[in-house]
Amino acid sequence: MEIAVLDIKGKETGRKAKLSDSVFAIEPNDHAVYLDVKQYLANQRQGTHKAKERAEIAGSTRKIKKQKGTGTARAGSIKSPIFKGGGRVFGPRPRNYGFKLNKNLKRLARKSALSIKANDKAIMVVEDFSFDTPKTKNFMEVLKALGIESKKSLIVLGDTNKNVYLSSRNLKTSEVISSSELSTYKILNAKNIVFLEGSLEGIESKLS
């Protein structure tokens, strides 16, 4: 499929970018997308949660009342989970939520996500640009020219461009990444995806 290449003023340059059908026009695999997004979100979790169980509570080991004759249930330790201040039953323990996925499945998930966005006409290709100094105002002007200033957008650079990245960092609705950082979650989390011309070759060679 072909798509018009725009400049930073939102005008067509007269050139067309060819998007590989093997990356941007496949039949999406919903389950692969689900697994890849699930893994991404699982990896964001710190897993440092911890609650004390009865063996870890600081407290007396004295039997708190006599065994018989009280008319209530027998009780030994004040650290029992049934008492206030006692331990927690099966409380959370520190753990790693990450799990393994095959490279081929992750590749399929990214291609599926890109195909979904291409089918929704949510992909733009812009010629490579840079800024002399980091300036949020300049970056906002580019977004306005492309008509995506109020939408959640993902800008994909070919190579790391520090000035463009720093210019976008103050904006909640826009994220700038290099092509090597592209993930299924980030693709689907954005309303519009803007590829710089120089990023396409690297993405297609990595996913083909």
Side-chain angles (χ1 to χ4, degrees):
M1 62 185 289
E2 291 189 342
I3 187 169
V5 178
L6 308 177
D7 59 19
I8 58 173
K9 294 182 179 177
K11 309 288 186 183
E12 291 193 13
T13 60
R15 300 196 310 278
K16 297 270 189 182
K18 195 170 189 316
L19 303 181
S20 172
D21 287 346
S22 64
V23 176
F24 291 90
I26 71 165
E27 181 67 32
N29 187 312
D30 292 340
H31 191 62
V33 170
Y34 159 74
L35 288 174
D36 201 16
V37 170
K38 183 180 178 182
Q39 186 195 48
Y40 179 90
L41 293 174
N43 288 337
Q44 305 307 301
R45 300 187 68 172
Q46 287 186 335
T48 53
H49 40 46
K50 178 71 176 77
K52 289 184 178 181
E53 298 185 1
R54 64 184 295 166
E56 299 164 314
I57 295 288
S60 172
T61 58
R62 177 181 71 89
K63 184 171 174 65
I64 59 176
K65 63 181 181 180
K66 64 182 184 177
Q67 178 81 345
K68 290 180 170 291
T70 62
T72 57
R74 56 193 173 184
S77 173
I78 194 69
K79 297 186 281 187
S80 171
I82 64 174
F83 295 122
K84 182 180 178 182
R88 172 103 180 258
V89 181
F90 303 129
R93 295 177 176 179
R95 57 166 289 199
N96 177 16
Y97 283 90
F99 57 93
K100 184 181 178 298
L101 288 178
N102 293 328
K103 285 183 180 179
N104 286 340
L105 188 141
K106 290 173 72 68
R107 194 179 294 125
L108 173 62
R110 270 174 286 169
K111 290 194 288 187
S112 297
L114 289 170
S115 298
I116 290 169
K117 288 297 179 184
N119 191 49
D120 292 343
K121 303 287 189 290
I123 288 179
M124 299 181 188
V125 178
V126 175
E127 64 181 2
D128 294 330
F129 67 91
S130 184
F131 299 137
D132 295 330
T133 56
K135 203 165 181 64
T136 305
K137 183 180 177 182
N138 293 342
F139 190 78
M140 274 300 295
E141 287 174 355
V142 173
L143 296 182
K144 283 180 182 176
L146 297 173
I148 57 173
E149 73 278 8
S150 60
K151 299 175 183 175
K152 190 181 280 190
S153 58
L154 180 69
I155 288 78
V156 185
L157 308 175
D159 297 311
T160 303
N161 188 321
K162 190 175 181 181
N163 286 345
V164 174
Y165 168 71
L166 292 175
S167 299
S168 71
R169 200 167 55 169
N170 203 29
L171 301 174
K172 286 184 179 180
T173 57
S174 185
E175 184 179 5
V176 172
I177 61 172
S178 62
S179 57
S180 61
E181 298 173 293
L182 193 64
S183 70
T184 305
Y185 177 82
K186 289 185 177 180
I187 293 168
L188 294 175
N189 193 40
K191 184 76 173 172
N192 291 86
I193 303 176
V194 179
F195 290 103
L196 265 60
E197 218 174 347
S199 68
L200 291 174
E201 186 178 347
I203 292 168
E204 291 181 353
S205 65
K206 195 172 181 180
L207 296 180
S208 295

